[in-house]
Amino acid sequence: MTSTMMDQLRTWTEEGWLRPLDLAFAQFLIRLDPQAPALLPLAGALLARLEGEGHTCVALDDLLSAPERLLDWPAPELATLATALGDWPHAAAWTETLAQSLCVQITERNTSDPANSAETPLVLSAARLYLRRYWRDQQFIAETLRQRAQQRVADTVNPEVLRPWLEQLFPAPDEPGDELPWQKIACALALRSHFGIITGGPGTGKTYTAARFMALLMATSSTPLRIVLAAPTGKAAVRIDESLLSAVNTLPQLGPRSDMAAAFARLRPARTLHSLLGARPESRRFHHHAANPLELDVLVVDEASMIHQEMMAALLRALPPTARLILLGDQDQLASVEAGAVLAEICQGSGMYDAETCHYLQASCGATPQPNDSSTSPLASSIVRLQRSHRFNAEIGALADAVHGGHPETAIRILQSAQTSTLAWQSAPTIHQILNLAGTETAHGRVWQAAGQPPPKDPQQHGAWVKAILKDYADFRILCALRQGPWGVTGINRAIEDHLQRQGILQSHGLWYVGRPTLVTRNDPGLGLSNGDIGIALPDPDRRMRVYFPNSDGPPRAILPSRLNHSESAWAMTVHKAQGSEFAHTVLVLPPEDSPVLSRELLYTAITRARTCFTLIAPRARLENTIQRQTRRMSGLHAALRNARH
C-alpha cells in the first residue's frame, strides 16, 4: 500500500501539484521507516507542501473537512486526494496510524519536549502535525513570551509618579469623543513588563508612541540604556529611522536631566534582524543565541507582521532575560513570506484587560478600560491596538476599512462614488493604462525626464540632483499581486522598459540604463545593502554610470552596477516587497485571472501603502473575489500560548 501511495505522490509531482521537495521529504521518511503505513509519506508530502505556503503545521480537522481551502488543486486531483484521505477520516485515525511509525512523536497536547523523547522528524500534537523544528520553535515562543509578559520590571515607576510624565508626553487626547487614550495606555503597559505589542493600522501612531516610550525610559532610568531598533527588512529599517526622527521632533523636554534630542541622536540606525543577530551565510545559524546573547537593554522591532516563526524563535533565544522587547506592527497586514503568522497569532484575544491591569491604567493614565479577564491569551494585557489613523484622508481610510471588514459591496461603492483625485478605479485593465500612469505626468515620468538630462558637474549640485530624482521615484509606485506573467512584476517591468525604448528614453539595450530603478533582492553586508533596498542608475559628474541609494546620514551612496549581483528592475514591485513603505500615489494591479495569492490581506496592505492617492487596476469580479478570500495560516501558536498559562 505504501508503494501505491508513493506512485500517486510521484504522479502529483510530475503534474506540478506537489513540488520535488515535497516528494523528496516523503521519500526521506520512508527511508527512515521502511515499514511505515501509507499515511506517513502522504502526510509528509502534504505537510511539506503546506509549509511552502506559509503554514507551520497541518490542522487535521481543517485538512480532512475541506482540503480545497488549503490546496489550489483542480477538482480531479482533489477528488483523488479525498479518496486517499478517506482511509483515515478523522484525527483519531491519523493518531492511531502514525503512532506506529518511527518518524512520529505523539503528544497529548501542546507541551514541551518530553525529557527523553526521540528526535523524530514529525510531531503530532493536539490534532496538528508538525515538522519538529516548527513545533519546537512554537513551544519555545509561547513559553518565553508568557514569562516575559508576566514578569514585571523590577524598577517600574510608581503609577502615580508616572501619570504626570504621561500627561506631558500626551497632552491632548489621542482619540476623539469618549474613546480611550490608547497611545498613552500603550506607553504605560510597555513600561511595566519585559514584553509588549503596539499594533494598529498605518498612521495610527505606533512609532510616535514608541518614541515616547523610549523617551520615558531615558528620562526615568538611573543608568544609560542600550536601546536598539530593528526591522525585518532594510526598507523597513530605513522607515522606522525616518518615522522616529519625525516623532522625536515633537517630543517635550522631560525634566532637567534629559536632553531628548541628544539622547535619540546617540541611537544607532535601525538594523535588519538578520544583521542584528549576525546571520551566517548559507546557514540557519546566527552569531547571537542563548549562549551569546545580544548586548542591549531594550529592543524595539517595527513591521513585526513580517517576522516568521523561525526568526521570532531565534530573536527570543538571543535576547537577554532582563531586556525589554517591544513589537510594532499591523496584525491585519500580509504575514511573512516564510512560514508562520506570529503577530496575528499573538494578538488573538487582545484588548481584554484584567482587573489588576485596569487598576494600573486608572492610576497611571486616568483611563479605565472595562475589566475583562475572559481572554484565552496570557499576553492580552501586554497588547494595545491603536484605533485612529492620522495618515489617510476619509476616502482611503473608508476603503481600507471596507476591505478589512470583508465588505466588497461597500468597497465598490466607495470606489465608484469617489469625488476627488484620491481614489481611482480602472475596472477594464489594459497595459496602456499602466503606461499612462507611469508617464510624464507622474513621478516616474519626472525620473525619465531628469535621467535624460546631462548630470551637473558640481558635486553639491549633483548630490542635490540625485536626491531630487530619488525623492520623485519614492512618491509613486506600481504594486502587483503576482511576480510572474503579463500582469505581474516581470511583465509590467518589461512593458515599461519596452515603452521607454520605443520612446527613445532608454538608451541601452543591455541590463543597465540611465534611470533604471533597481531593487536589491539579497542582503549584501559587504555593500551595506539589504534585501528590499532600492536605488536608481544615474551618471556621476563625469558621466560614468552608478547606482545611487538613499542615505539618511548624508549624500546618496554610489555603487558600481557590476557589484550588484542580486538585483532587478523596480518600475513595479510586489505588494510583499512594499511592506514597510508608503508612497504618495500607489497603484495596485490585479490580474484578470484568479490566483490563490489574491487575498483580503494583500489588498488591504496595498491600499494602506498610499499616503494621498490610490489607484486600482482590476476587473470587478477579481476585486470582489479578492475581498472575500481571507488568508488563514494553520498554526498552533495561539493554542500553545493558551496552554502555556497553565
Side-chain angles (χ1 to χ4, degrees):
M1 188 175 177
T2 301
S3 61
T4 302
M5 180 62 71
M6 292 303 300
D7 288 341
Q8 180 62 67
L9 296 180
R10 291 187 188 94
T11 298
W12 281 335
T13 304
E14 291 167 0
E15 294 174 348
W17 309 121
L18 290 176
R19 302 171 300 173
L21 177 64
D22 308 330
L23 176 62
F25 183 64
Q27 293 169 331
F28 164 74
L29 295 175
I30 292 300
R31 287 197 298 273
L32 290 180
D33 187 3
Q35 304 304 315
L39 178 58
L40 180 68
L42 174 63
L46 292 176
L47 178 60
R49 178 72 179 85
L50 290 166
E51 186 270 342
E53 297 293 327
H55 304 278
T56 59
C57 66
V58 172
L60 299 185
D61 292 335
D62 291 345
L63 175 66
L64 295 170
S65 63
E68 69 279 0
R69 296 180 184 175
L70 303 174
L71 296 165
D72 185 37
W73 291 10
E77 278 65 32
L78 286 172
T80 304
L81 175 62
T83 300
L85 293 175
D87 293 333
W88 306 278
H90 43 72
W94 280 59
T95 301
E96 181 181 352
T97 305
L98 290 177
Q100 305 169 29
S101 174
L102 302 174
C103 295
V104 184
Q105 176 191 341
I106 310 291
T107 69
E108 291 299 321
R109 67 184 186 92
N110 288 304
T111 55
S112 299
D113 282 305
N116 298 315
S117 66
E119 282 289 308
T120 59
L122 301 179
V123 175
L124 181 57
S125 175
R128 296 181 180 91
L129 183 66
Y130 298 85
L131 294 172
R132 175 171 288 277
R133 63 186 175 90
Y134 282 113
W135 184 73
R136 184 171 53 235
D137 285 347
Q138 172 186 284
Q139 305 311 117
F140 175 76
I141 292 169
E143 182 60 28
T144 302
L145 291 183
R146 182 195 64 79
Q147 292 176 0
R148 284 187 168 276
Q150 295 180 353
Q151 180 184 2
R152 298 290 177 255
V153 176
D155 58 349
T156 299
V157 180
N158 183 288
E160 285 77 14
V161 176
L162 179 60
R163 185 164 180 169
W165 292 86
L166 288 172
E167 289 175 350
Q168 190 175 355
L169 286 168
F170 302 95
D174 61 10
E175 301 290 352
D178 297 327
E179 294 185 35
L180 293 170
W182 290 111
Q183 292 180 339
K184 188 185 296 186
I185 289 172
C187 196
L189 290 180
L191 197 69
R192 71 168 184 162
S193 70
H194 288 267
F195 174 72
I197 291 179
I198 303 174
T199 185
T204 51
K206 296 184 290 293
T207 310
Y208 175 92
T209 304
R212 277 151 175 73
F213 163 70
M214 289 186 280
L216 195 57
L217 283 178
M218 293 173 183
T220 57
S221 176
S222 57
T223 58
L225 293 172
R226 297 167 298 176
I227 300 176
V228 174
L229 307 175
T233 67
K235 185 65 177 178
V238 171
R239 284 286 301 135
I240 189 176
D241 282 337
E242 294 172 348
S243 299
L244 190 63
L245 177 62
S246 176
V248 167
N249 290 335
T250 65
L251 278 172
Q253 183 68 25
L254 296 182
R257 60 174 296 276
S258 62
D259 183 342
M260 289 295 106
F264 275 94
R266 287 192 291 271
L267 293 179
R268 288 187 59 185
R271 303 168 65 183
T272 65
L273 292 176
H274 281 87
S275 171
L276 176 69
L277 294 175
R280 295 178 176 176
E282 310 303 327
S283 169
R284 292 181 179 273
R285 299 181 181 275
F286 294 96
H287 176 70
H288 290 288
H289 42 73
N292 182 31
L294 295 162
E295 296 181 357
L296 52 81
D297 301 304
V298 182
L299 177 61
V300 179
V301 184
D302 197 15
E303 297 293 344
S305 65
M306 301 167 67
I307 304 176
H308 56 87
Q309 182 173 287
E310 187 175 10
M311 176 59 76
M312 180 61 77
L315 182 64
L316 292 174
R317 289 188 178 101
L319 204 61
T322 57
R324 300 174 192 254
L325 173 63
I326 304 298
L327 302 179
L328 314 177
D330 185 352
Q331 68 190 74
D332 298 316
Q333 281 191 27
L334 282 168
S336 58
V337 174
E338 298 184 56
V342 177
L343 187 68
E345 289 285 301
I346 294 173
C347 289
Q348 284 189 40
S350 61
M352 300 180 182
Y353 303 111
D354 56 33
E356 177 196 352
T357 299
C358 291
H359 178 75
Y360 168 77
L361 293 176
Q362 174 59 39
S364 60
C365 303
T368 311
Q370 186 67 33
N372 188 335
D373 197 24
S374 63
S375 174
T376 58
S377 171
L379 308 184
S381 293
S382 298
I383 303 169
V384 174
R385 180 164 188 162
L386 303 183
Q387 307 291 327
R388 182 186 176 199
S389 177
H390 303 270
R391 177 188 297 178
F392 309 122
N393 63 26
E395 288 183 324
I396 292 179
L399 179 61
D401 289 343
V403 170
H404 173 257
H407 304 299
E409 301 86 358
T410 304
I412 288 171
R413 185 172 64 252
I414 291 169
L415 286 166
Q416 289 177 333
S417 61
Q419 298 297 315
T420 69
S421 59
T422 300
L423 294 176
W425 179 26
Q426 302 289 346
S427 58
T430 66
I431 293 297
H432 183 68
Q433 292 167 350
I434 298 172
L435 295 176
N436 281 342
L437 283 167
T440 56
E441 73 280 11
T442 68
H444 275 15
R446 293 195 296 273
V447 172
W448 300 349
Q449 292 172 350
Q453 300 170 357
K457 289 285 189 180
D458 178 76
Q460 286 190 337
Q461 292 180 357
H462 183 272
W465 176 74
V466 172
K467 279 187 174 181
I469 293 176
L470 290 171
K471 182 180 182 303
D472 281 344
Y473 173 76
D475 281 343
F476 175 80
R477 198 59 45 87
I478 298 170
L479 304 183
C480 300
L482 305 179
R483 176 164 181 78
Q484 304 295 334
W487 298 95
V489 168
T490 55
I492 290 177
N493 276 330
R494 190 180 305 113
I496 290 177
E497 288 177 336
D498 289 346
H499 174 73
L500 293 177
Q501 192 160 341
R502 289 194 303 269
Q503 297 295 316
I505 299 171
L506 193 159
Q507 299 297 327
S508 171
H509 294 281
L511 175 65
W512 291 99
Y513 55 87
V514 172
R516 183 194 187 214
T518 305
L519 175 71
V520 176
T521 58
R522 187 177 297 183
N523 294 333
D524 191 333
L527 294 178
L529 296 175
S530 300
N531 184 1
D533 286 349
I534 293 180
I536 296 182
L538 296 167
D540 68 8
D542 296 322
R543 300 200 176 192
R544 297 170 301 188
M545 187 179 295
R546 300 289 186 267
V547 183
Y548 289 91
F549 290 85
N551 181 11
S552 58
D553 295 334
R557 300 172 54 214
I559 295 177
L560 284 170
S562 59
R563 301 190 65 189
L564 296 173
N565 297 320
H566 303 285
S567 64
E568 61 186 32
S569 294
W571 295 110
M573 59 195 297
T574 63
V575 177
H576 268 289
K577 288 289 188 182
Q579 282 189 269
S581 303
E582 66 174 64
F583 315 104
H585 183 185
T586 300
V587 177
L588 174 65
V589 180
L590 299 183
E593 303 81 15
D594 195 18
S595 168
V597 306
L598 301 181
S599 67
R600 183 185 306 174
E601 293 78 12
L602 180 138
L603 181 54
Y604 170 83
T605 302
I607 293 169
T608 54
R609 299 311 91 206
R611 191 165 60 246
T612 59
C613 182
F614 176 74
T615 298
L616 177 65
I617 298 178
R620 176 172 179 147
R622 196 59 50 241
L623 172 61
E624 292 174 335
N625 292 345
T626 298
I627 295 174
Q628 291 166 347
R629 179 185 284 126
Q630 190 170 16
T631 301
R632 283 288 177 263
R633 289 188 172 181
M634 289 185 290
S635 167
L637 180 56
H638 180 67
L641 283 165
R642 186 171 63 245
N643 291 328
R645 71 189 305 188
H646 301 301

